[in-house]
Amino acid sequence: MDAPREGIEAWAWEFLSSEVLQEKLDPPAPPTEFSGWTGPPELQENLRPVRPPELEVLQKSPKTPRPGAMVDPGVRAGLLAAFHHHELQAAELFCWALLVHSGTPEAFRRGLVKLATDEIRHMGMYRRHIERLGSSIEDFGVRDWFWERVPASEGPAGFCAVLGIGFEGANIDHSAVFAERFRAVGDEEGARLQEVVGEEEIDHVRF
C-alpha cells in the first residue's frame, strides 16, 4: 500500500506507522496543507497503528484501582498511563479517519487534525505527571481497546458517533470521577489535570 509522501496526510500516516517511541509520544507539528492523496478502498480494513517495542501490548486491560489504593504514587501513575494510551489511540484514530475518509470536506478533515493535536498535547500532560510520580510510560503495558472497536464504524458519521460521542463523551464523565479520587489522596495536580482534559473533551464531543 503506497503511503502519502507529503502534506498533512503524510504526517498522519507517519504518526500511525512509526516504530520510534519518541515519534509516537511527541510527533512534530502537522503541515498546514493537504496533499490531495486518497487511499485505496481497502484502507479502512488494513490501516492500523504500529506499536514501538518499548510499549508492551496487553490482551486484557488492567483492573481499575480501588479509590483507597490511589494513595500509592505508582498506582496513580499506572492509571494515568492507561489514560495516556486512551489519548494516543484517539489521536491515531483521528489521523486514521482523515486518511480513510479523505473525500470528506476539508473543514471536517482540518477539524480531525485539530482534535489529534489536542490529544497529543493531553498525552504530554499525562506523561509529565507520570514522571513526577516517579514512573515512565514504558513501565506500563497498553491495551488497544479503541482500535478493536472504532474501525468497524460505518462512514464519517459513524466514526463521529463511536469515537466522538461514545468514547470522548464518556471521558467527560470519567474525568470528573477521577478528579475527585486524585484530590481525595492529596494529588491536586493530578486532579486538575483530569479536570482540564474533561473540559477540553466538551469541544471534541461538540465537533
Side-chain angles (χ1 to χ4, degrees), residues 7-184:
I8 294 173
E9 295 93 339
W11 174 85
W13 187 284
E14 287 298 321
F15 183 59
L16 285 167
S17 61
S18 177
E19 297 179 351
V20 179
L21 181 63
Q22 188 60 26
E23 293 176 1
K24 280 287 188 183
L25 302 182
D26 190 20
T32 58
E33 300 299 329
F34 291 98
S35 68
W37 177 89
T38 56
E42 65 270 19
L43 191 65
Q44 179 161 349
E45 289 74 28
N46 295 336
L47 185 58
R48 295 294 183 271
V50 174
R51 291 281 164 256
E54 295 91 339
L55 298 180
E56 178 190 2
V57 178
L58 305 175
Q59 299 306 310
K60 185 177 180 180
S61 299
K63 291 184 177 180
T64 302
R66 297 186 305 275
M70 289 180 58
V71 70
D72 183 339
V75 170
R76 298 201 302 279
L79 184 61
L80 292 175
F83 296 158
H84 177 280
H85 195 58
H86 293 169
E87 301 288 337
L88 173 59
Q89 291 177 88
E92 290 172 335
L93 282 159
F94 287 129
C95 289
W96 172 89
L98 73 86
L99 293 169
V100 168
H101 304 305
S102 57
T104 52
E106 182 174 324
F108 176 74
R109 287 178 286 130
R110 286 197 179 278
L112 295 175
V113 176
K114 167 63 167 60
L115 268 57
T117 58
D118 283 350
E119 305 291 20
I120 292 168
R121 179 168 47 81
H122 292 169
M123 287 165 55
M125 294 161 60
Y126 279 128
R127 193 165 61 256
R128 286 189 290 274
H129 197 49
I130 289 168
E131 292 168 355
R132 283 191 288 267
L133 293 170
S135 297
S136 68
I137 202 67
E138 300 98 312
D139 295 336
F140 307 97
V142 298
R143 170 79 191 282
D144 285 334
W145 196 87
F146 289 17
W147 275 103
E148 293 170 5
R149 290 158 175 79
V150 176
S153 58
E154 296 186 8
F159 170 81
C160 289
V162 176
L163 182 61
I165 297 175
F167 291 176
E168 300 281 273
N171 201 29
I172 296 173
D173 296 328
H174 293 165
S175 60
V177 169
F178 285 104
E180 292 182 1
R181 295 185 182 180
F182 274 83
R183 189 163 282 123

